[in-house]
Amino acid sequence: MQPESVEESSPWQRVSAWALVPLFCKSAWEFFGLIVGGAFLSSRDKYAAYMPYVLALLALLVLGRAIIGWRFSRFRVTAQGIELEKGLLHKEKLLLPQARVQELQVRQPFYFRPLRLYAASIDSAGSQKQEFALTGLSESQLTLLQGQTSTAPASGSTPFYRIWLATLYNAYLWLPLAAVFGMSQQFKDAQGLQWLLETSEALLAQYDIQHNLLLQVFSGLMLLALVALVLALMTLIWLYPQHLLRDARKLQLTQGSVLKKSLRISSPRVQLVLVNQPWLARLLGHYSLIFHGFASNQQQSKFAVLGQTAPELDTELKAQQLLPLAEVQGADLQKFVPVYFRRQAWWSGLGLLVVTVLLWQSNIPPLWFKALVSLALSSWWLLELWLNYRWHGYRVQGDVLYLWQGGFGRRWYMLPLRQVQQVRLQQTPFFQQHQMVRLQLQTANGNLTLAAIPNTEAQQLYAQVLALQYPE
């Protein structure tokens, strides 16, 4: 992201006084050690007389640190870039040139939403940390900082049901649910919950509900409904509404209604594009579009646009000057060396055999259950192996490398070769024997690996990357 040039410098801006609230919390955390020490001293009788003075001093330190941080921090946008001044005794001035600004991350915590205030942080090229962060920005100040005429998203939100379905087939979105479940386990020893569990078990035993198949099915459906409700709440809090804004300079994704967040990356500096379609998403015809941008903090320069249909996906790929999926799959793709898949089959088959033996050696009662699980695992392994071999390939179109990998789920990688910073060729004795190479292309934020390609093709691709990086 680069702010647009302005002919004249804007007036100096100071954030809202409501920023004092998070600044107080931050200041209290900075003086946490002194606060704990004061609490310890208060428990000693010989220091009790000094406690009012200690508490007053701590309060002054916390309040003074927050007020100084707010009152003596200001910024403005000039023709050269973004200028920041802060500090009372130890003054600091920072000028961030337009050409060095790589990413602006905008957040709107729930306590700022009624006030229509925002928090923003800026990363620049060549640094290992954020240059500065501003809390309590108004909409007009955020517009000035972003260098655009409007902060409202230009496109409508992805429908709620599509984003909710994305929480089912994207495993990483289950992490908040797992965290909630883990926290609930901490309260198992609470007396109220223990009483509730004992009462439920007594009712089940009294009315013989444990052996009622219909009630067990109903209980299972209620559990699924509870999970669906939790995922719906997760969607509303973190993901919906979802707006993607694109122009010639930037990509901006805004998500969430309660914990609203906005991430921006520079369009020309997109390092890697990934299209993900897990097996459940294939049944629904949905995709997840993931952009990796350049910034010092890789986590902040990566975002996923969830619940995309094929026409929406192709529109975004064309806007990024990439081929649509139909052209990638329908082209004459280069394949990996077949012996690589045969070796994979041997190793994965050996692992499946070990699991099957352990299953049959276990004390699980019915033989039919063991046979059914063994058959399901074998069928899944054979089909997944065949699909991986059948649905894969790569090609170079212009200066972009496309990689398609299939299975029950499918992935498409799209890597602009101009963004490659390192090429790594790896050969084990097995690879040397069969004249093939594992080639890894690394960017500032994202890697792509060609698992097993012939030596000649690896050398040609290596030479093409060098020609793009060092043109004659």
Side-chain angles (χ1 to χ4, degrees):
M1 189 284 302
Q2 295 179 357
E4 294 177 352
S5 298
V6 293
E7 295 181 358
E8 298 180 357
S9 300
S10 67
W12 283 103
Q13 305 283 327
R14 185 175 286 111
V15 297
S16 169
W18 287 103
L20 285 170
V21 176
L23 287 175
F24 284 147
C25 298
K26 180 181 178 181
S27 179
W29 177 254
E30 291 176 350
F31 292 103
F32 179 75
L34 291 177
I35 295 174
V36 172
F40 174 75
L41 291 177
S42 66
S43 63
R44 311 297 293 269
D45 294 337
K46 61 179 180 178
Y47 297 113
Y50 301 99
M51 280 313 300
Y53 306 102
V54 173
L55 292 177
L57 179 60
L58 287 175
L60 287 176
L61 286 175
V62 172
L63 293 175
R65 176 71 175 84
I67 294 174
I68 291 174
W70 169 76
R71 181 63 179 81
F72 296 95
S73 294
R74 59 180 187 169
F75 75 96
R76 67 176 179 177
V77 178
T78 68
Q80 290 75 33
I82 302 174
E83 194 172 349
L84 175 73
E85 287 185 356
K86 61 180 180 180
L88 174 59
L89 299 178
H90 178 72
K91 294 183 177 294
E92 182 180 351
K93 186 173 182 178
L94 174 67
L95 175 61
L96 203 58
Q98 296 179 7
R100 304 296 294 175
V101 177
Q102 294 294 340
E103 181 182 1
L104 171 65
Q105 180 181 356
V106 181
R107 303 182 309 279
Q108 190 180 38
F110 68 91
Y111 49 83
F112 274 167
R113 295 211 67 192
L115 305 171
R116 305 189 71 176
L117 299 177
Y118 302 85
S121 59
I122 292 182
D123 286 337
S124 71
S127 68
Q128 297 299 320
K129 62 179 181 179
Q130 295 174 347
E131 260 53 42
F132 62 85
L134 295 170
T135 301
L137 293 165
S138 64
E139 290 186 349
S140 59
Q141 290 174 331
L142 182 62
T143 301
L144 177 66
L145 196 62
Q146 290 176 324
Q148 60 185 32
T149 57
S150 174
T151 58
S155 61
S157 171
T158 305
F160 175 83
Y161 78 93
R162 279 202 251 148
I163 301 178
W164 177 81
L165 288 171
T167 63
L168 294 175
Y169 54 72
N170 283 287
Y172 71 93
L173 294 176
W174 282 71
L175 291 178
L177 182 62
V180 172
F181 177 77
M183 291 178 60
S184 66
Q185 301 303 304
Q186 304 298 322
F187 300 97
K188 274 193 170 182
D189 295 333
Q191 293 182 356
L193 185 58
Q194 187 67 26
W195 174 84
L196 181 62
L197 291 175
E198 293 175 355
T199 304
S200 301
E201 292 176 358
L203 287 174
L204 289 175
Q206 179 179 355
Y207 295 102
D208 200 24
I209 298 178
Q210 292 176 329
H211 304 289
N212 191 317
L213 179 60
L214 182 60
L215 287 176
Q216 290 179 4
V217 172
F218 178 74
S219 300
L221 292 177
M222 290 297 294
L223 180 61
L224 291 178
L226 179 61
V227 172
L229 177 61
V230 172
L231 292 180
L233 292 176
M234 286 172 48
T235 303
L236 285 173
I237 293 172
W238 282 289
L239 302 174
Y240 182 83
Q242 173 183 265
H243 300 277
L244 180 64
L245 173 67
R246 170 190 291 274
D247 59 28
R249 298 182 297 110
K250 67 179 181 302
L251 285 166
Q252 177 175 331
L253 180 69
T254 304
Q255 290 177 318
S257 57
V258 179
L259 300 179
K260 186 177 181 180
K261 63 179 180 180
S262 178
L263 299 175
R264 296 162 56 116
I265 58 177
S266 172
S267 299
R269 300 303 302 273
V270 171
Q271 305 289 297
L272 179 68
V273 177
L274 168 61
V275 180
N276 188 28
Q277 191 182 41
W279 67 271
L280 181 57
R282 289 189 62 190
L283 300 177
L284 302 169
H286 294 170
Y287 303 84
S288 296
L289 180 60
I290 304 171
F291 290 94
H292 294 252
F294 176 80
S296 59
N297 188 333
Q298 295 185 4
Q299 295 297 324
Q300 295 180 355
S301 60
K302 170 186 173 182
F303 59 69
V305 187
L306 305 171
Q308 299 298 286
T309 60
E312 294 171 340
L313 180 67
D314 288 342
T315 300
E316 291 301 326
L317 293 178
K318 290 177 182 178
Q320 198 64 33
Q321 299 181 351
L322 299 171
L323 295 177
L325 295 188
E327 294 188 23
V328 176
Q329 296 176 200
D332 185 17
L333 300 176
Q334 296 174 280
K335 302 289 186 178
F336 295 160
V337 180
V339 70
Y340 167 76
F341 291 97
R342 289 200 291 269
R343 190 183 69 157
Q344 271 195 329
W346 278 107
W347 283 110
S348 58
L350 180 61
L352 178 64
L353 180 62
V354 172
V355 172
T356 304
V357 171
L358 292 176
L359 176 65
W360 282 90
Q361 292 294 327
S362 66
N363 295 324
I364 299 177
L367 293 178
W368 64 266
F369 181 76
K370 296 181 180 180
L372 183 61
V373 173
S374 300
L375 180 62
L377 288 176
S378 301
S379 301
W380 182 281
W381 168 69
L382 289 172
L383 187 57
E384 177 73 12
L385 187 66
W386 181 80
L387 291 177
N388 275 305
Y389 174 73
R390 178 74 174 81
W391 292 340
H392 84 279
Y394 68 96
R395 64 178 291 192
V396 178
Q397 179 75 21
D399 61 350
V400 180
L401 174 62
Y402 298 86
L403 172 63
W404 176 31
Q405 291 182 322
F408 287 106
R410 295 185 294 183
R411 287 191 168 199
W412 295 264
Y413 297 84
M414 303 169 188
L415 173 65
L417 295 179
R418 293 184 182 276
Q419 305 294 348
V420 175
Q421 295 188 352
Q422 185 179 99
V423 181
R424 180 171 297 178
L425 305 176
Q426 299 174 334
Q427 266 193 329
T428 63
F430 174 80
F431 276 51
Q432 294 177 5
Q433 178 183 356
H434 294 90
Q435 298 296 308
M436 60 182 180
V437 176
R438 176 180 288 109
L439 186 142
Q440 186 178 59
L441 302 170
Q442 299 181 357
T443 70
N445 185 9
N447 302 327
L448 186 149
T449 300
L450 301 179
I453 63 176
N455 290 345
T456 55
E457 296 178 8
Q459 294 296 332
Q460 291 174 1
L461 188 55
Y462 180 71
Q464 184 173 354
V465 173
L466 287 181
L468 291 172
Q469 298 296 330
Y470 305 101
E472 296 181 359

